[in-house]
Amino acid sequence: EVQVVESGGGLVQPGRSLRLSCTTSGFTFGDYSMSWVRQAPGKGLEWVGFIRSKTYGGTTDYAASVKGRFIISRDDSKSTAYLQLNSLKTEDTALYFCTRVQDYSDGIGYYVYYSDYWGQGTLVTVSS
Amino acid sequence: QSVLTQPPSMSAAPGQKVTISCSGISSNIGNNHVSWYQQLPGTAPKLLIYYNNQRPSGVPDRFSGSKSGTSATLGISGLQTGDEADYFCGSWDSSVSAVVFGGGTKLTVL
């Protein structure tokens, strides 16, 4: 059974940093891309970014709103992904979900990307 | 404001069918595949549709997806009270190398 569990959330002051962890089990972690998606209270989903598998270079992409402040990394030996949140702002307050990603080209030029497993989320509150 | 456009809310009676639209542009829906997610109250989102119209195992065939041009549609037939949830569409956007989501549609089953 695939399991995705986030941890590390909490209350943090503006300008400070926080690191979230995403611990997984039930699948070969190194074969998959992993992403972070956040949801502000009462709002919709906002994609934060993702990290590709080492097979595809382990590269990352980020949303414009967090680029330069957030860093996604992975430790395949621990089946864990991380989200380093730096220079936090009040608008970063949200429930942060970690997801397993299926991403590939369909062979005719279209890109397939979807999150097939989601954790329950960890709450980050940025406030003074 | 979300990149993909969905109606904020919809309602229908039990047993009826509803279709939820998701509108984008060429760089996202027009040239990439669409996925749909269901978020029941107080829970994490769950994958409902991927590759425009494919259902993961365990998702009832009452749920269907389609895509035409720069728009996608989620259909739910035989509505049940348990279908009351927020529904989000998502797609890769090649122009910004990022995933974009719709703002979500809150479905009420009266």
Side-chain angles (χ1 to χ4, degrees), chain A residues 2-4 27 32-35 37 98-104 113-119, chain B residues 35-37 45-50 55-57 59:
Chain A
V2 172
Q3 292 197 326
V4 177
F27 64 99
Y32 290 87
S33 301
M34 299 294 295
S35 84
V37 177
C98 176
T99 87
R100 190 180 82 168
V101 171
Q102 300 277 2
D103 63 310
Y104 52 92
Y113 180 111
Y114 59 94
S115 291
D116 59 353
Y117 287 94
W118 297 62
Chain B
S35 53
W36 289 90
Y37 304 89
K46 167 192 163 186
L47 178 66
L48 209 56
I49 297 286
Y50 67 97
R55 287 185 309 276
S57 60
V59 174

Side-chain angles (χ1 to χ4, degrees), chain A residues 37 39 43-47 50 52 61-63 95 97 104 106 109-121, chain B residues 30-33 35 37 39 42-47 50-51 67 88 90-92 96-103:
Chain A
V37 177
Q39 186 170 36
K43 302 297 185 182
L45 302 178
E46 180 186 13
W47 184 79
F50 87 122
R52 296 173 179 83
D61 280 309
Y62 299 95
L95 187 60
F97 297 103
Y104 52 92
D106 67 357
Y110 290 6
Y111 189 51
V112 182
Y113 180 111
Y114 59 94
S115 291
D116 59 353
Y117 287 94
W118 297 62
Q120 289 304 302
Chain B
N31 284 288
N32 295 295
H33 293 275
S35 53
Y37 304 89
Q39 187 175 32
T43 70
K46 167 192 163 186
L47 178 66
Y50 67 97
Y51 208 97
K67 189 188 99 165
F88 297 91
S91 177
W92 183 260
V96 293
S97 295
V99 171
V100 290
F101 286 110

Side-chain angles (χ1 to χ4, degrees), chain A residues 40-95:
Chain A
K43 302 297 185 182
L45 302 178
E46 180 186 13
W47 184 79
V48 172
F50 87 122
I51 184 165
R52 296 173 179 83
S53 67
K54 291 288 196 310
T55 301
Y56 293 97
T59 55
T60 52
D61 280 309
Y62 299 95
S65 59
V66 307
K67 200 168 189 177
R69 298 189 301 125
F70 291 6
I71 300 170
I72 298 174
S73 60
R74 62 189 299 152
D75 185 338
D76 290 355
S77 69
K78 296 182 179 179
S79 298
T80 300
Y82 302 95
L83 177 63
Q84 177 71 36
L85 300 83
N86 300 320
S87 303
L88 280 162
K89 306 175 181 179
T90 55
E91 52 263 42
D92 294 319
T93 293
L95 187 60

Side-chain angles (χ1 to χ4, degrees), chain B residues 63-84:
Chain B
F63 296 89
S64 62
S66 65
K67 189 188 99 165
S68 178
T70 59
S71 293
T73 300
L74 172 69
I76 311 173
S77 62
L79 276 171
Q80 302 174 1
T81 55
D83 296 331
E84 284 204 340

